[in-house]
Amino acid sequence: MSTKIAVLPGDGIGTEITEQAARVLTALGLDLDLQHAPVGGAAYDLHGHPLPPATLELAKSSAAVLFGAVGDWKYDSLARELRPEQAILGLRKAMGLFANFRPAILYPQLANASSLKPEIVSGLDILIIRELTGDIYFGQPRGVRTVSEGNFAGERQGFDTMHYAESEVRRIAHVAFQAAQKRQGKLCSVDKANVLETSQFWRDIMIDVAKEYPDVALSHMYVDNAAMQLVRAPKEFDVIVTGNLFGDILSDEAAMLTGSIGMLPSASLNASQQGLYEPSHGSAPDIAGQNKANPLATILSAAMLLRYSLNENAQAVRVENAVRKVLEQGLRTADIYEAGTQLVGTREMGDAVLKALD
Ligand code: IPM
Ligand code: MG
């Protein structure tokens, strides 16, 4: 029986970039059944909801989801629950995708793309593991209420709730320790334990789980310091594990260290190897439909899909090598273009990767 993959292109450049990644997946000669469905603003336009039931059903019943990007300024005035971002949050929650892998790798061919000095970033290879289904992102209660007593009595107040249950911290800790074991064996847990109860609890659990991984060196860092160290000496990090909110912020910062967010894939996994794979960048509505977007982050996300959800490691390596090859050939989309390289469009980049697959 063929393996079902849900392809959810979404908005903006999502359509163009997933098309190239789907071509690459199809070219590998595996028995895959790629099924497309609308998501985000595109789904709202068609069905009045960013995550229609049929799209969610397809995603849940697939081995993996290849996701493009969602969002466009034109949906900004919709009620929160109808905005495109709710599709991605809804998929994470409904599929239990608690472990988010965001690698930040500086490709030697793109060493000049970073805004940091080459000696600070050359050879950079860090992995941020972000908890993705808990924290203040999903904590209840939340909303707007009227303050009943104290200084602000009678005023309206916006509020959210930060919390982590022990099992939520334990399971992401295990994922992170095991990832560190496969790399340099260094894990830095990022929190705000000097201020937040949730963070002190997180830290205590990390320390407890560490007993099961004597081969991994665990360290702790406050999130403000981590933000600083990431630009001061990013190569000091191997694997970073952190909660949902801090991970959102630090993973954007880490991505920018490489100067080419158009190159960075991501994977969001649940406990049964099902995963959602998407580029780290957004939907870039300003360049949508112009054959300008860089499809490589999505193609590299497809490689992660092969590795983590399909157990096709050799095929994943094949795709990653093909991407390296087109960079060596000097092909560049506009976001990573520099003098002396060859500017190509989205489709031409996809063609080149297909050709580079051996
Ligand atoms: C991300 C994005 C999302 C998040 C938004 C679109 C809801 O910023 O995947 O990092 O905050 O998690
Ligand atoms: Mg983000």
Side-chain angles (χ1 to χ4, degrees), residues 78-294:
L78 289 176
R80 177 172 307 280
E81 63 276 13
L82 294 177
R83 287 191 209 158
E85 293 77 11
Q86 292 304 310
I88 184 83
L89 295 172
L91 282 164
R92 287 172 185 170
K93 200 65 185 169
M95 296 174 71
L97 305 170
F98 71 91
N100 182 217
F101 286 63
R102 297 192 171 182
I105 295 173
L106 188 88
Y107 288 82
Q109 299 89 346
L110 304 179
N112 292 328
S114 178
S115 52
L116 273 76
K117 296 193 192 100
E119 63 266 29
I120 302 221
V121 288
S122 75
L124 183 81
D125 178 359
I126 44 190
L127 173 62
I128 297 198
I129 298 186
R130 167 186 175 195
E131 198 290 330
L132 203 57
T133 51
D135 204 352
I136 197 166
Y137 264 60
F138 292 96
Q140 294 291 344
R142 57 191 285 159
V144 178
R145 62 190 170 196
T146 301
V147 183
S148 55
E149 51 193 53
N151 280 350
F152 302 107
E155 276 188 46
R156 290 191 312 144
Q157 175 191 59
F159 68 104
D160 294 274
T161 306
M162 177 180 270
H163 55 56
Y164 264 121
E166 182 166 350
S167 61
E168 288 181 295
V169 184
R170 280 191 188 277
R171 66 182 180 179
I172 195 70
H174 283 289
V175 168
F177 278 102
Q178 284 162 25
Q181 277 181 325
K182 294 191 195 124
R183 294 171 47 105
Q184 294 172 47
K186 276 174 32 181
L187 178 63
C188 179
S189 170
V190 172
D191 62 37
K192 189 70 187 172
N194 50 345
V195 178
L196 302 174
E197 298 293 336
T198 312
S199 277
Q200 184 59 55
F201 181 71
W202 169 283
R203 187 178 283 218
D204 294 345
I205 303 294
M206 285 289 157
I207 291 169
D208 194 46
V209 175
K211 293 177 192 146
E212 295 174 51
Y213 300 91
D215 50 336
V216 175
L218 173 68
S219 61
H220 306 274
M221 206 179 274
Y222 299 139
V223 63
D224 50 348
N225 188 26
M228 190 163 72
Q229 299 306 327
L230 269 174
V231 286
R232 193 189 70 86
K235 284 189 276 183
E236 295 293 309
F237 293 103
D238 177 21
V239 181
I240 291 175
V241 63
T242 190
N244 206 346
L245 180 63
F246 301 154
D248 178 46
I249 300 163
L250 293 183
S251 61
D252 266 24
E253 187 187 5
M256 208 54 229
L257 294 176
T258 72
S260 42
I261 196 167
M263 295 294 303
L264 299 179
S266 79
S268 306
L269 305 173
N270 67 16
S272 44
Q273 269 196 315
Q274 230 185 352
L276 183 146
Y277 300 83
E278 58 173 329
S280 289
H281 59 73
S283 55
D286 53 321
I287 57 161
Q290 300 173 31
N291 197 40
K292 281 188 184 160
N294 186 348

